[in-house]
Amino acid sequence: ETGVTQSPTHLIKTRGQQVTLRCSSQSGHNTVSWYQQALGQGPQFIFQYYREEENGRGNFPPRFSGLQFPNYSSELNVNALELDDSALYLCASRTWDPPYEQYFGPGTRLTVT
Amino acid sequence: GQSLEQPSEVTAVEGAIVQINCTYQTSGFYGLSWYQQHDGGAPTFLSYNALDGLEETGRFSSFLSRSDSYGYLLLQELQMKDSASYFCAVLNTGFQKLVFGTGTRLLVSP
């Protein structure tokens, strides 16, 4: 069973640029969530996709957008990057049933300069 | 709104028992989860409580009191490898959004 994978592992971008992060969910999982984790903080919920539809969103501006594909893999897109977007971006997948265990990928470390 | 409070840091010695508390305020509560995260690593699932009471999984136990909006993670027979950050997280109703606390850094010394 393959776990959650994310690419790239590290990324450096300039303020104002756009970035796309990718996530492959664990086999059998139909729900993918994205989180932003700043240093020393807990993961902050960005949004969640269930069967290719966004069905929940946290307090993030519209320049954070995403997609989920028929194979349940997912993308996170961030436009007009700001310095504060520098963080670890985590993808997590799960099924829609209890115990709602999230399986996290290793994350993408994004640095905005 | 939603908020979760945990102690920022806890220290203990190998072999000891430590309890990490979590109080939460939220609307639409499904249950309380606990995750462990080592430095540079991804969070990994430890436990989930939907009902009041204690859930035991090996050296780790988790407790929930819904009426008190309170839970804790109990770690027994501490080992050096338990040094990590521990997050409580509330699972909300609706679209089952997981909201994390700010985390407790556990330092285990010899």
Side-chain angles (χ1 to χ4, degrees):
Chain A
E1 183 175 85
T2 306
V4 179
T5 60
Q6 292 185 243
S7 63
T9 54
H10 294 85
L11 201 53
I12 299 175
K13 288 287 190 177
T14 303
R15 191 170 48 184
Q17 286 187 314
Q18 178 266 341
V19 69
T20 297
L21 309 182
R22 293 179 174 84
C23 170
S24 290
S25 61
Q26 184 159 315
S27 176
H29 288 182
N30 54 17
T31 304
V32 173
S33 302
W34 285 90
Y35 296 85
Q36 180 195 67
Q37 187 175 26
L39 207 59
Q41 300 295 316
Q44 299 295 308
F45 177 80
I46 303 175
F47 44 57
Q48 176 175 281
Y49 280 83
Y50 172 63
R51 293 184 175 178
E52 302 177 59
E53 296 285 331
E54 182 184 302
N55 73 342
R57 190 174 185 91
N59 295 326
F60 281 82
R63 60 189 184 84
F64 285 77
S65 63
L67 283 173
Q68 187 181 31
F69 300 100
N71 66 355
Y72 302 130
S73 65
S74 178
E75 284 183 357
L76 164 65
N77 299 289
V78 188
N79 294 321
L81 283 167
E82 300 177 0
L83 296 179
D84 285 348
D85 295 334
S86 295
L88 180 68
Y89 287 85
L90 294 161
C91 166
S93 74
R94 63 177 175 89
T95 64
W96 193 251
D97 305 308
Y100 312 109
E101 177 180 349
Q102 299 262 21
Y103 291 79
F104 282 85
T108 294
R109 173 71 62 187
L110 173 65
T111 302
V112 182
T113 63
Chain B
Q2 297 154 96
S3 67
L4 296 94
E5 289 190 15
Q6 305 177 232
S8 58
E9 189 173 290
V10 173
T11 59
V13 297
E14 272 188 301
I17 299 173
V18 73
Q19 178 173 311
I20 299 174
N21 298 321
C22 172
T23 57
Y24 59 88
Q25 287 187 317
T26 184
S27 55
F29 176 84
Y30 250 179
L32 188 71
S33 298
W34 288 91
Y35 284 79
Q36 178 193 62
Q37 186 177 29
H38 288 97
D39 286 348
T44 56
F45 174 83
L46 293 177
S47 68
Y48 173 72
N49 293 67
L51 303 174
D52 286 357
L54 193 68
E55 295 278 346
E56 297 180 65
T57 309
R59 295 188 296 115
F60 294 177
S61 303
S62 57
F63 171 83
L64 175 65
S65 168
R66 296 174 71 109
S67 60
D68 295 324
S69 297
Y70 164 76
Y72 66 73
L73 179 69
L74 190 72
L75 299 87
Q76 304 182 72
E77 300 172 20
L78 281 173
Q79 302 175 10
M80 296 293 288
K81 66 178 182 179
D82 297 329
S83 291
S85 292
Y86 291 84
F87 296 92
C88 60
V90 165
L91 187 72
N92 280 5
T93 56
F95 55 86
Q96 299 175 359
K97 165 183 161 181
L98 197 62
V99 178
F100 283 81
T102 52
T104 298
R105 190 168 181 85
L106 172 64
L107 301 172
V108 180
S109 57

